[in-house]
Amino acid sequence: MSKEGIHKCNAAENCHEENHICRIIIRKDLGRIKELVKDAQFYCKNCGRAAHNSENLCNPSKIMV
């Protein structure tokens, strides 16, 4: 992801992307969270959460195995 694409939020209150896990957690949509974290391929460098798609994280980085 290019530097322009990195979101500088460091907490859910600062994130304005409704599809980011940090925002979904505030809504307590546990079913959606379960879908998004299944077979996680990326983690967020800001909060440490993991997701299958980088689009669901503020500052994603590929998980290397």
Side-chain angles (χ1 to χ4, degrees):
M1 176 173 263
S2 68
K3 288 193 183 253
E4 307 87 54
I6 295 174
H7 298 276
K8 297 296 182 188
C9 56
N10 58 10
E13 298 82 29
N14 296 329
C15 181
H16 302 289
E17 296 291 330
E18 291 301 318
N19 288 321
H20 284 179
I21 290 177
C22 58
R23 293 292 298 171
I24 296 168
I25 285 174
I26 289 175
R27 295 191 307 263
K28 297 183 172 137
D29 188 349
L30 300 180
R32 178 106 192 273
I33 294 167
K34 186 177 176 181
E35 275 178 31
L36 297 176
V37 302
K38 185 177 181 182
D39 300 321
Q41 300 293 314
F42 299 88
Y43 73 96
C44 180
K45 292 180 189 177
N46 293 355
C47 66
R49 291 184 172 99
H52 182 74
N53 295 310
S54 63
E55 296 83 24
N56 299 116
L57 300 167
C58 297
N59 191 359
S61 185
K62 181 85 170 140
I63 295 174
M64 301 298 196
V65 264

